[in-house]
């Protein structure tokens, strides 16, 4: 999804294995966006300060369109790259 002006996007990504078991709070450090919600077992949940990324999660990340490549790079680096 993109806003009508084309500057903000809500994109869905599979949770990278390197982030499984890590908190959403840790994931968002250095992320050029925010986890708006998580798709888990057919349900949607808004993450809290205690939410942990699980295998099979779908991360729905809100970011500026210009930052999409940075979001993907953040996920690929994994927690060890931060």
């Amino acid at each position: 999804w993109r806003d009508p002006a084309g500057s903000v996007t809500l994109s869905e990504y599979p949770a990278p294995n390197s982030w499984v078991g890590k908190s959403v709070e840790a994931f968002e450090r250095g992320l050029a966006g925010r986890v708006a919600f998580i798709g888990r077992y057919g349900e949607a949940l808004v993450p809290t300060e205690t939410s942990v990324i699980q295998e099979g999660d779908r991360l729905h990340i809100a970011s500026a369109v210009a930052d999409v490549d940075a979001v993907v790079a953040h996920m690929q680096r994994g927690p060890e790259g931060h």
Side-chain angles (χ1 to χ4, degrees):
W1 174 91
R2 282 189 187 194
D3 75 295
S7 58
V8 175
T9 185
L10 179 64
S11 303
E12 179 183 1
Y13 303 95
N17 289 334
S18 61
W19 285 101
V20 170
K22 307 295 187 222
S23 70
V24 172
E25 181 181 50
F27 177 77
E28 287 186 329
R29 280 188 219 120
L31 177 67
R34 297 292 311 263
V35 178
F37 67 97
I38 299 170
R40 182 178 289 162
Y41 303 118
E43 306 265 331
L45 62 100
V46 176
T48 67
E49 64 276 354
T50 61
S51 296
V52 174
I53 297 170
Q54 296 182 12
E55 185 176 352
D57 280 356
R58 306 288 300 176
L59 305 178
H60 297 260
I61 299 174
S63 70
V65 170
D67 291 333
V68 168
D69 289 342
V71 168
V72 172
H74 176 84
M75 290 191 300
Q76 291 173 339
R77 275 193 306 272
E80 297 78 25
H82 293 88

